[in-house]
Amino acid sequence: MRPVAAIVSRGFSICRPDAAKLRRLRMSQTSRTTMSSSGRILSAHPYDTNHSSTRRSFSAHDTSSTPDEASTHHAGEFVSHGRPPVTSFSPDELMVRDLCQQWADEELRPVVREMDEESRYLPGIIDGLFECGLMGMEIPEQYGGAGMNFTSALLAVEELSRVDPSVSILVDIHNTLTNNAVRFWGSKDLKDKWLPRLATDTVSSFALSEAGSGSDAFAMKTTATPSPDGSSYTINGSKLWISNAEEAGVFLLFANANPEKGYRGITAFMVDSSTEGITVGKPESKLGLRASSTCPVTFEDVKVDSSEILGVVGEGYRYCISILNEGRIGIGAQQLGIAKGCLDVAMPYLMERKQFGTTIGDFQGMQHQYAQIATEIYAAELMVYNTARMKEQGLPFVKEA
């Protein structure tokens, strides 16, 4: 089964990503596409008050070097002249984007306000993410994942963020941090144990920060004391501001197995949340992302088998820094989605509200403002997806992230 087919079949009952419907969606988007005399393809009018077309208003792609050459091609077609645009996506990536847009509009949008007011995910939302295959984006199919690429995961995060970033942050942390850390550094046994669960039913949480150790991992106080025979470790310490803590079935925990070595003793563990000695505290009352749980987590004499070590003892700091660099690209996709979501809401209103006999969106002062905003969003989109492509090509991307 192809990766996208795996996602579609898994999410069919909830998302109904009918192939014919998606084809009609793409055709309707193409039919709204116009070409300027300069040979640039312009997507749906950026100020269209129709919600669905407004969502696709930030991409413009050169199709040729001359107007005459451009006129020989139909609007909406890409013409290859060397490398493709950074923001052009493969059919599989577009399928993921469309699936996420449909699920977010149909299943998530109606309950966003309720979840925000109650500071929790409603029943069915997390199940829906798993059923749509969005929690195992890069996990190989052999483990029950979708087997997609990094860009596909970012597109999922962006589309969910346009509707509710509280949900997208859960997907982002789970995919770009925990799942990828297990894929990159987990032993075969660790992969066999956790990847199928992470792809199908188990939410993860990234437990790094402490009261005196946020970005400064050198100050980490949580310890992992080995047993005399080295077969297990006893973890003691407290973590703060841990996202997904209430929903987590497993913590990717960082603790110091040899404090005398400083940061070179930091080790990563996969810790089942049901293990005795783990206490998840009261969630923070936040200004935003309210449905997402952000909690203190205490580990008191928590015994973990040495087989749950991720990678090599003492290499946790290196793993952490490396995976957080990737995670920052995911956060960029989240912010991009939030910005687009704001414009999704604002633009129709600007074309509905009238003053002095005309819509306020037609006033030049307003046009300057939303043109500037749209330009900055497009620039951010280029930065995010260029960095994602660099990461996929194995190029250095730390500065860009």
Side-chain angles (χ1 to χ4, degrees), residues 185-221:
W185 300 297
S187 65
K188 182 182 183 305
D189 288 343
L190 208 63
K191 291 178 182 178
D192 289 342
K193 177 178 180 178
W194 286 112
L195 288 182
R197 293 181 59 183
L198 292 169
T200 57
D201 61 15
T202 302
V203 175
S204 65
S205 183
F206 192 81
L208 171 66
S209 297
E210 299 180 3
S213 172
S215 301
D216 179 17
F218 293 91
M220 184 178 294
K221 300 299 183 183

PDB file of all heavy atoms in Angstrom, residues 185-221:
ATOM      1  N   TRP A 185      17.862   7.108  16.660  1.00  0.00           N
ATOM      2  CA  TRP A 185      18.830   6.597  17.626  1.00  0.00           C
ATOM      3  C   TRP A 185      18.339   5.385  18.427  1.00  0.00           C
ATOM      4  O   TRP A 185      19.112   4.821  19.204  1.00  0.00           O
ATOM      5  CB  TRP A 185      19.218   7.721  18.597  1.00  0.00           C
ATOM      6  CG  TRP A 185      19.820   8.887  17.878  1.00  0.00           C
ATOM      7  CD1 TRP A 185      20.974   8.907  17.155  1.00  0.00           C
ATOM      8  CD2 TRP A 185      19.279  10.222  17.805  1.00  0.00           C
ATOM      9  NE1 TRP A 185      21.203  10.158  16.637  1.00  0.00           N
ATOM     10  CE2 TRP A 185      20.171  10.991  17.016  1.00  0.00           C
ATOM     11  CE3 TRP A 185      18.136  10.834  18.328  1.00  0.00           C
ATOM     12  CZ2 TRP A 185      19.953  12.340  16.735  1.00  0.00           C
ATOM     13  CZ3 TRP A 185      17.916  12.173  18.056  1.00  0.00           C
ATOM     14  CH2 TRP A 185      18.810  12.915  17.263  1.00  0.00           C
ATOM     15  N   GLY A 186      17.098   5.002  18.239  1.00  0.00           N
ATOM     16  CA  GLY A 186      16.595   3.866  18.994  1.00  0.00           C
ATOM     17  C   GLY A 186      17.193   2.540  18.528  1.00  0.00           C
ATOM     18  O   GLY A 186      17.488   2.352  17.343  1.00  0.00           O
ATOM     19  N   SER A 187      17.365   1.617  19.483  1.00  0.00           N
ATOM     20  CA  SER A 187      17.802   0.268  19.117  1.00  0.00           C
ATOM     21  C   SER A 187      16.680  -0.438  18.373  1.00  0.00           C
ATOM     22  O   SER A 187      15.535   0.035  18.337  1.00  0.00           O
ATOM     23  CB  SER A 187      18.153  -0.525  20.378  1.00  0.00           C
ATOM     24  OG  SER A 187      16.984  -0.707  21.171  1.00  0.00           O
ATOM     25  N   LYS A 188      16.983  -1.574  17.777  1.00  0.00           N
ATOM     26  CA  LYS A 188      15.945  -2.315  17.067  1.00  0.00           C
ATOM     27  C   LYS A 188      14.809  -2.693  18.014  1.00  0.00           C
ATOM     28  O   LYS A 188      13.620  -2.583  17.659  1.00  0.00           O
ATOM     29  CB  LYS A 188      16.528  -3.579  16.423  1.00  0.00           C
ATOM     30  CG  LYS A 188      15.508  -4.376  15.614  1.00  0.00           C
ATOM     31  CD  LYS A 188      16.108  -5.629  15.029  1.00  0.00           C
ATOM     32  CE  LYS A 188      15.086  -6.368  14.168  1.00  0.00           C
ATOM     33  NZ  LYS A 188      13.830  -6.672  14.889  1.00  0.00           N
ATOM     34  N   ASP A 189      15.163  -3.137  19.212  1.00  0.00           N
ATOM     35  CA  ASP A 189      14.129  -3.517  20.177  1.00  0.00           C
ATOM     36  C   ASP A 189      13.276  -2.316  20.574  1.00  0.00           C
ATOM     37  O   ASP A 189      12.055  -2.435  20.733  1.00  0.00           O
ATOM     38  CB  ASP A 189      14.775  -4.126  21.433  1.00  0.00           C
ATOM     39  CG  ASP A 189      15.352  -5.516  21.172  1.00  0.00           C
ATOM     40  OD1 ASP A 189      14.970  -6.125  20.150  1.00  0.00           O
ATOM     41  OD2 ASP A 189      16.178  -5.969  21.989  1.00  0.00           O
ATOM     42  N   LEU A 190      13.929  -1.152  20.742  1.00  0.00           N
ATOM     43  CA  LEU A 190      13.187   0.044  21.121  1.00  0.00           C
ATOM     44  C   LEU A 190      12.245   0.471  19.993  1.00  0.00           C
ATOM     45  O   LEU A 190      11.094   0.858  20.238  1.00  0.00           O
ATOM     46  CB  LEU A 190      14.154   1.171  21.464  1.00  0.00           C
ATOM     47  CG  LEU A 190      13.669   2.219  22.481  1.00  0.00           C
ATOM     48  CD1 LEU A 190      13.410   1.568  23.826  1.00  0.00           C
ATOM     49  CD2 LEU A 190      14.686   3.342  22.613  1.00  0.00           C
ATOM     50  N   LYS A 191      12.724   0.389  18.770  1.00  0.00           N
ATOM     51  CA  LYS A 191      11.865   0.716  17.624  1.00  0.00           C
ATOM     52  C   LYS A 191      10.688  -0.252  17.534  1.00  0.00           C
ATOM     53  O   LYS A 191       9.541   0.163  17.312  1.00  0.00           O
ATOM     54  CB  LYS A 191      12.675   0.672  16.329  1.00  0.00           C
ATOM     55  CG  LYS A 191      13.698   1.779  16.192  1.00  0.00           C
ATOM     56  CD  LYS A 191      14.493   1.616  14.897  1.00  0.00           C
ATOM     57  CE  LYS A 191      15.552   2.689  14.764  1.00  0.00           C
ATOM     58  NZ  LYS A 191      16.360   2.528  13.537  1.00  0.00           N
ATOM     59  N   ASP A 192      10.982  -1.532  17.686  1.00  0.00           N
ATOM     60  CA  ASP A 192       9.913  -2.533  17.602  1.00  0.00           C
ATOM     61  C   ASP A 192       8.866  -2.334  18.687  1.00  0.00           C
ATOM     62  O   ASP A 192       7.678  -2.587  18.474  1.00  0.00           O
ATOM     63  CB  ASP A 192      10.500  -3.946  17.722  1.00  0.00           C
ATOM     64  CG  ASP A 192      11.305  -4.356  16.493  1.00  0.00           C
ATOM     65  OD1 ASP A 192      11.143  -3.718  15.440  1.00  0.00           O
ATOM     66  OD2 ASP A 192      12.113  -5.304  16.607  1.00  0.00           O
ATOM     67  N   LYS A 193       9.303  -1.871  19.841  1.00  0.00           N
ATOM     68  CA  LYS A 193       8.365  -1.684  20.956  1.00  0.00           C
ATOM     69  C   LYS A 193       7.546  -0.404  20.818  1.00  0.00           C
ATOM     70  O   LYS A 193       6.308  -0.424  21.012  1.00  0.00           O
ATOM     71  CB  LYS A 193       9.132  -1.654  22.285  1.00  0.00           C
ATOM     72  CG  LYS A 193       8.222  -1.380  23.491  1.00  0.00           C
ATOM     73  CD  LYS A 193       8.998  -1.397  24.800  1.00  0.00           C
ATOM     74  CE  LYS A 193       8.074  -1.113  25.995  1.00  0.00           C
ATOM     75  NZ  LYS A 193       8.820  -1.175  27.284  1.00  0.00           N
ATOM     76  N   TRP A 194       8.209   0.711  20.455  1.00  0.00           N
ATOM     77  CA  TRP A 194       7.538   2.002  20.557  1.00  0.00           C
ATOM     78  C   TRP A 194       6.990   2.562  19.251  1.00  0.00           C
ATOM     79  O   TRP A 194       5.958   3.241  19.262  1.00  0.00           O
ATOM     80  CB  TRP A 194       8.480   3.031  21.205  1.00  0.00           C
ATOM     81  CG  TRP A 194       8.633   2.807  22.680  1.00  0.00           C
ATOM     82  CD1 TRP A 194       9.750   2.395  23.349  1.00  0.00           C
ATOM     83  CD2 TRP A 194       7.620   2.983  23.681  1.00  0.00           C
ATOM     84  NE1 TRP A 194       9.508   2.291  24.691  1.00  0.00           N
ATOM     85  CE2 TRP A 194       8.203   2.657  24.930  1.00  0.00           C
ATOM     86  CE3 TRP A 194       6.287   3.377  23.654  1.00  0.00           C
ATOM     87  CZ2 TRP A 194       7.495   2.715  26.128  1.00  0.00           C
ATOM     88  CZ3 TRP A 194       5.577   3.436  24.850  1.00  0.00           C
ATOM     89  CH2 TRP A 194       6.174   3.110  26.057  1.00  0.00           C
ATOM     90  N   LEU A 195       7.649   2.331  18.134  1.00  0.00           N
ATOM     91  CA  LEU A 195       7.168   2.954  16.900  1.00  0.00           C
ATOM     92  C   LEU A 195       5.746   2.535  16.520  1.00  0.00           C
ATOM     93  O   LEU A 195       4.934   3.392  16.130  1.00  0.00           O
ATOM     94  CB  LEU A 195       8.143   2.683  15.741  1.00  0.00           C
ATOM     95  CG  LEU A 195       9.478   3.436  15.809  1.00  0.00           C
ATOM     96  CD1 LEU A 195      10.326   3.117  14.594  1.00  0.00           C
ATOM     97  CD2 LEU A 195       9.251   4.944  15.932  1.00  0.00           C
ATOM     98  N   PRO A 196       5.381   1.252  16.638  1.00  0.00           N
ATOM     99  CA  PRO A 196       3.984   0.898  16.334  1.00  0.00           C
ATOM    100  C   PRO A 196       2.980   1.605  17.246  1.00  0.00           C
ATOM    101  O   PRO A 196       1.906   2.010  16.795  1.00  0.00           O
ATOM    102  CB  PRO A 196       3.952  -0.624  16.548  1.00  0.00           C
ATOM    103  CG  PRO A 196       5.362  -1.069  16.321  1.00  0.00           C
ATOM    104  CD  PRO A 196       6.200   0.034  16.893  1.00  0.00           C
ATOM    105  N   ARG A 197       3.332   1.752  18.506  1.00  0.00           N
ATOM    106  CA  ARG A 197       2.426   2.440  19.442  1.00  0.00           C
ATOM    107  C   ARG A 197       2.362   3.931  19.144  1.00  0.00           C
ATOM    108  O   ARG A 197       1.282   4.550  19.175  1.00  0.00           O
ATOM    109  CB  ARG A 197       2.888   2.205  20.883  1.00  0.00           C
ATOM    110  CG  ARG A 197       2.754   0.764  21.355  1.00  0.00           C
ATOM    111  CD  ARG A 197       3.200   0.601  22.804  1.00  0.00           C
ATOM    112  NE  ARG A 197       2.408   1.442  23.710  1.00  0.00           N
ATOM    113  CZ  ARG A 197       2.635   1.519  25.028  1.00  0.00           C
ATOM    114  NH1 ARG A 197       3.618   0.811  25.574  1.00  0.00           N
ATOM    115  NH2 ARG A 197       1.881   2.290  25.773  1.00  0.00           N
ATOM    116  N   LEU A 198       3.512   4.542  18.866  1.00  0.00           N
ATOM    117  CA  LEU A 198       3.547   5.968  18.557  1.00  0.00           C
ATOM    118  C   LEU A 198       2.763   6.287  17.288  1.00  0.00           C
ATOM    119  O   LEU A 198       2.202   7.379  17.149  1.00  0.00           O
ATOM    120  CB  LEU A 198       4.994   6.442  18.406  1.00  0.00           C
ATOM    121  CG  LEU A 198       5.836   6.440  19.682  1.00  0.00           C
ATOM    122  CD1 LEU A 198       7.305   6.669  19.361  1.00  0.00           C
ATOM    123  CD2 LEU A 198       5.341   7.515  20.663  1.00  0.00           C
ATOM    124  N   ALA A 199       2.714   5.336  16.371  1.00  0.00           N
ATOM    125  CA  ALA A 199       2.008   5.560  15.108  1.00  0.00           C
ATOM    126  C   ALA A 199       0.505   5.361  15.229  1.00  0.00           C
ATOM    127  O   ALA A 199      -0.261   5.910  14.425  1.00  0.00           O
ATOM    128  CB  ALA A 199       2.558   4.622  14.024  1.00  0.00           C
ATOM    129  N   THR A 200       0.072   4.588  16.223  1.00  0.00           N
ATOM    130  CA  THR A 200      -1.333   4.160  16.220  1.00  0.00           C
ATOM    131  C   THR A 200      -2.162   4.577  17.426  1.00  0.00           C
ATOM    132  O   THR A 200      -3.372   4.776  17.291  1.00  0.00           O
ATOM    133  CB  THR A 200      -1.420   2.633  16.095  1.00  0.00           C
ATOM    134  OG1 THR A 200      -0.687   2.027  17.182  1.00  0.00           O
ATOM    135  CG2 THR A 200      -0.827   2.158  14.776  1.00  0.00           C
ATOM    136  N   ASP A 201      -1.553   4.719  18.621  1.00  0.00           N
ATOM    137  CA  ASP A 201      -2.433   4.995  19.761  1.00  0.00           C
ATOM    138  C   ASP A 201      -1.778   5.668  20.965  1.00  0.00           C
ATOM    139  O   ASP A 201      -2.444   5.932  21.966  1.00  0.00           O
ATOM    140  CB  ASP A 201      -3.087   3.690  20.243  1.00  0.00           C
ATOM    141  CG  ASP A 201      -2.082   2.642  20.714  1.00  0.00           C
ATOM    142  OD1 ASP A 201      -0.904   2.985  20.947  1.00  0.00           O
ATOM    143  OD2 ASP A 201      -2.476   1.468  20.852  1.00  0.00           O
ATOM    144  N   THR A 202      -0.487   5.964  20.923  1.00  0.00           N
ATOM    145  CA  THR A 202       0.204   6.470  22.110  1.00  0.00           C
ATOM    146  C   THR A 202       0.783   7.853  21.871  1.00  0.00           C
ATOM    147  O   THR A 202       1.676   8.030  21.030  1.00  0.00           O
ATOM    148  CB  THR A 202       1.334   5.505  22.539  1.00  0.00           C
ATOM    149  OG1 THR A 202       0.785   4.212  22.787  1.00  0.00           O
ATOM    150  CG2 THR A 202       2.025   6.011  23.797  1.00  0.00           C
ATOM    151  N   VAL A 203       0.289   8.832  22.619  1.00  0.00           N
ATOM    152  CA  VAL A 203       0.820  10.198  22.552  1.00  0.00           C
ATOM    153  C   VAL A 203       2.127  10.264  23.335  1.00  0.00           C
ATOM    154  O   VAL A 203       2.273   9.613  24.376  1.00  0.00           O
ATOM    155  CB  VAL A 203      -0.191  11.200  23.138  1.00  0.00           C
ATOM    156  CG1 VAL A 203       0.397  12.613  23.189  1.00  0.00           C
ATOM    157  CG2 VAL A 203      -1.475  11.197  22.314  1.00  0.00           C
ATOM    158  N   SER A 204       3.070  11.040  22.834  1.00  0.00           N
ATOM    159  CA  SER A 204       4.356  11.170  23.518  1.00  0.00           C
ATOM    160  C   SER A 204       4.549  12.583  24.050  1.00  0.00           C
ATOM    161  O   SER A 204       3.892  13.532  23.624  1.00  0.00           O
ATOM    162  CB  SER A 204       5.505  10.840  22.559  1.00  0.00           C
ATOM    163  OG  SER A 204       5.566  11.797  21.511  1.00  0.00           O
ATOM    164  N   SER A 205       5.484  12.700  24.987  1.00  0.00           N
ATOM    165  CA  SER A 205       5.817  13.988  25.577  1.00  0.00           C
ATOM    166  C   SER A 205       7.331  14.095  25.692  1.00  0.00           C
ATOM    167  O   SER A 205       8.007  13.108  26.005  1.00  0.00           O
ATOM    168  CB  SER A 205       5.167  14.111  26.962  1.00  0.00           C
ATOM    169  OG  SER A 205       5.409  15.373  27.536  1.00  0.00           O
ATOM    170  N   PHE A 206       7.848  15.280  25.428  1.00  0.00           N
ATOM    171  CA  PHE A 206       9.285  15.538  25.418  1.00  0.00           C
ATOM    172  C   PHE A 206       9.649  16.211  26.731  1.00  0.00           C
ATOM    173  O   PHE A 206       9.357  17.395  26.940  1.00  0.00           O
ATOM    174  CB  PHE A 206       9.624  16.431  24.226  1.00  0.00           C
ATOM    175  CG  PHE A 206      11.081  16.555  23.903  1.00  0.00           C
ATOM    176  CD1 PHE A 206      11.733  15.572  23.164  1.00  0.00           C
ATOM    177  CD2 PHE A 206      11.801  17.671  24.293  1.00  0.00           C
ATOM    178  CE1 PHE A 206      13.074  15.702  22.833  1.00  0.00           C
ATOM    179  CE2 PHE A 206      13.138  17.809  23.971  1.00  0.00           C
ATOM    180  CZ  PHE A 206      13.783  16.826  23.237  1.00  0.00           C
ATOM    181  N   ALA A 207      10.265  15.460  27.648  1.00  0.00           N
ATOM    182  CA  ALA A 207      10.510  15.943  29.013  1.00  0.00           C
ATOM    183  C   ALA A 207      11.971  16.356  29.181  1.00  0.00           C
ATOM    184  O   ALA A 207      12.830  15.544  29.526  1.00  0.00           O
ATOM    185  CB  ALA A 207      10.136  14.867  30.032  1.00  0.00           C
ATOM    186  N   LEU A 208      12.223  17.644  28.961  1.00  0.00           N
ATOM    187  CA  LEU A 208      13.584  18.174  29.051  1.00  0.00           C
ATOM    188  C   LEU A 208      13.708  19.282  30.090  1.00  0.00           C
ATOM    189  O   LEU A 208      14.552  19.229  30.983  1.00  0.00           O
ATOM    190  CB  LEU A 208      14.021  18.703  27.680  1.00  0.00           C
ATOM    191  CG  LEU A 208      15.351  19.482  27.643  1.00  0.00           C
ATOM    192  CD1 LEU A 208      16.524  18.561  27.978  1.00  0.00           C
ATOM    193  CD2 LEU A 208      15.544  20.131  26.281  1.00  0.00           C
ATOM    194  N   SER A 209      12.850  20.308  30.008  1.00  0.00           N
ATOM    195  CA  SER A 209      13.007  21.529  30.808  1.00  0.00           C
ATOM    196  C   SER A 209      12.800  21.289  32.299  1.00  0.00           C
ATOM    197  O   SER A 209      11.976  20.467  32.711  1.00  0.00           O
ATOM    198  CB  SER A 209      12.026  22.595  30.336  1.00  0.00           C
ATOM    199  OG  SER A 209      12.290  22.964  28.998  1.00  0.00           O
ATOM    200  N   GLU A 210      13.552  22.056  33.095  1.00  0.00           N
ATOM    201  CA  GLU A 210      13.418  22.033  34.551  1.00  0.00           C
ATOM    202  C   GLU A 210      13.373  23.470  35.060  1.00  0.00           C
ATOM    203  O   GLU A 210      13.590  24.420  34.290  1.00  0.00           O
ATOM    204  CB  GLU A 210      14.594  21.279  35.180  1.00  0.00           C
ATOM    205  CG  GLU A 210      14.689  19.825  34.748  1.00  0.00           C
ATOM    206  CD  GLU A 210      15.865  19.099  35.385  1.00  0.00           C
ATOM    207  OE1 GLU A 210      16.569  19.723  36.216  1.00  0.00           O
ATOM    208  OE2 GLU A 210      16.079  17.919  35.061  1.00  0.00           O
ATOM    209  N   ALA A 211      13.127  23.633  36.351  1.00  0.00           N
ATOM    210  CA  ALA A 211      13.007  24.970  36.933  1.00  0.00           C
ATOM    211  C   ALA A 211      14.261  25.799  36.679  1.00  0.00           C
ATOM    212  O   ALA A 211      14.189  26.987  36.373  1.00  0.00           O
ATOM    213  CB  ALA A 211      12.734  24.865  38.426  1.00  0.00           C
ATOM    214  N   GLY A 212      15.423  25.194  36.801  1.00  0.00           N
ATOM    215  CA  GLY A 212      16.675  25.918  36.586  1.00  0.00           C
ATOM    216  C   GLY A 212      17.402  25.472  35.348  1.00  0.00           C
ATOM    217  O   GLY A 212      18.587  25.765  35.169  1.00  0.00           O
ATOM    218  N   SER A 213      16.710  24.742  34.491  1.00  0.00           N
ATOM    219  CA  SER A 213      17.355  24.168  33.313  1.00  0.00           C
ATOM    220  C   SER A 213      16.386  24.169  32.145  1.00  0.00           C
ATOM    221  O   SER A 213      15.716  23.184  31.876  1.00  0.00           O
ATOM    222  CB  SER A 213      17.817  22.730  33.612  1.00  0.00           C
ATOM    223  OG  SER A 213      18.283  22.104  32.437  1.00  0.00           O
ATOM    224  N   GLY A 214      16.313  25.321  31.486  1.00  0.00           N
ATOM    225  CA  GLY A 214      15.486  25.404  30.285  1.00  0.00           C
ATOM    226  C   GLY A 214      16.357  25.087  29.092  1.00  0.00           C
ATOM    227  O   GLY A 214      16.628  23.932  28.767  1.00  0.00           O
ATOM    228  N   SER A 215      16.836  26.123  28.446  1.00  0.00           N
ATOM    229  CA  SER A 215      17.765  25.925  27.335  1.00  0.00           C
ATOM    230  C   SER A 215      19.135  25.479  27.828  1.00  0.00           C
ATOM    231  O   SER A 215      19.906  24.879  27.083  1.00  0.00           O
ATOM    232  CB  SER A 215      17.902  27.224  26.535  1.00  0.00           C
ATOM    233  OG  SER A 215      16.654  27.633  26.034  1.00  0.00           O
ATOM    234  N   ASP A 216      19.446  25.776  29.094  1.00  0.00           N
ATOM    235  CA  ASP A 216      20.743  25.420  29.673  1.00  0.00           C
ATOM    236  C   ASP A 216      20.688  24.002  30.245  1.00  0.00           C
ATOM    237  O   ASP A 216      20.437  23.795  31.433  1.00  0.00           O
ATOM    238  CB  ASP A 216      21.111  26.423  30.768  1.00  0.00           C
ATOM    239  CG  ASP A 216      22.447  26.082  31.428  1.00  0.00           C
ATOM    240  OD1 ASP A 216      23.208  25.286  30.837  1.00  0.00           O
ATOM    241  OD2 ASP A 216      22.713  26.616  32.520  1.00  0.00           O
ATOM    242  N   ALA A 217      20.919  23.021  29.379  1.00  0.00           N
ATOM    243  CA  ALA A 217      20.853  21.626  29.824  1.00  0.00           C
ATOM    244  C   ALA A 217      21.990  21.272  30.775  1.00  0.00           C
ATOM    245  O   ALA A 217      21.928  20.257  31.472  1.00  0.00           O
ATOM    246  CB  ALA A 217      20.887  20.696  28.619  1.00  0.00           C
ATOM    247  N   PHE A 218      23.042  22.115  30.805  1.00  0.00           N
ATOM    248  CA  PHE A 218      24.148  21.846  31.726  1.00  0.00           C
ATOM    249  C   PHE A 218      23.678  21.876  33.183  1.00  0.00           C
ATOM    250  O   PHE A 218      24.289  21.276  34.053  1.00  0.00           O
ATOM    251  CB  PHE A 218      25.253  22.903  31.540  1.00  0.00           C
ATOM    252  CG  PHE A 218      25.948  22.822  30.215  1.00  0.00           C
ATOM    253  CD1 PHE A 218      25.496  23.553  29.139  1.00  0.00           C
ATOM    254  CD2 PHE A 218      27.046  21.999  30.045  1.00  0.00           C
ATOM    255  CE1 PHE A 218      26.139  23.487  27.914  1.00  0.00           C
ATOM    256  CE2 PHE A 218      27.698  21.915  28.822  1.00  0.00           C
ATOM    257  CZ  PHE A 218      27.241  22.663  27.751  1.00  0.00           C
ATOM    258  N   ALA A 219      22.575  22.593  33.443  1.00  0.00           N
ATOM    259  CA  ALA A 219      22.079  22.753  34.813  1.00  0.00           C
ATOM    260  C   ALA A 219      21.057  21.690  35.198  1.00  0.00           C
ATOM    261  O   ALA A 219      20.423  21.797  36.241  1.00  0.00           O
ATOM    262  CB  ALA A 219      21.470  24.141  34.965  1.00  0.00           C
ATOM    263  N   MET A 220      20.904  20.663  34.403  1.00  0.00           N
ATOM    264  CA  MET A 220      19.899  19.622  34.655  1.00  0.00           C
ATOM    265  C   MET A 220      20.152  18.931  35.994  1.00  0.00           C
ATOM    266  O   MET A 220      21.267  18.514  36.317  1.00  0.00           O
ATOM    267  CB  MET A 220      19.917  18.591  33.523  1.00  0.00           C
ATOM    268  CG  MET A 220      18.848  17.520  33.646  1.00  0.00           C
ATOM    269  SD  MET A 220      18.877  16.372  32.244  1.00  0.00           S
ATOM    270  CE  MET A 220      18.400  17.463  30.904  1.00  0.00           C
ATOM    271  N   LYS A 221      19.079  18.815  36.792  1.00  0.00           N
ATOM    272  CA  LYS A 221      19.185  18.204  38.116  1.00  0.00           C
ATOM    273  C   LYS A 221      18.587  16.793  38.177  1.00  0.00           C
ATOM    274  O   LYS A 221      18.889  16.041  39.116  1.00  0.00           O
ATOM    275  CB  LYS A 221      18.469  19.074  39.153  1.00  0.00           C
ATOM    276  CG  LYS A 221      19.036  20.486  39.277  1.00  0.00           C
ATOM    277  CD  LYS A 221      20.486  20.475  39.722  1.00  0.00           C
ATOM    278  CE  LYS A 221      21.010  21.891  39.911  1.00  0.00           C
ATOM    279  NZ  LYS A 221      22.461  21.895  40.273  1.00  0.00           N
TER     280      LYS A 221
END
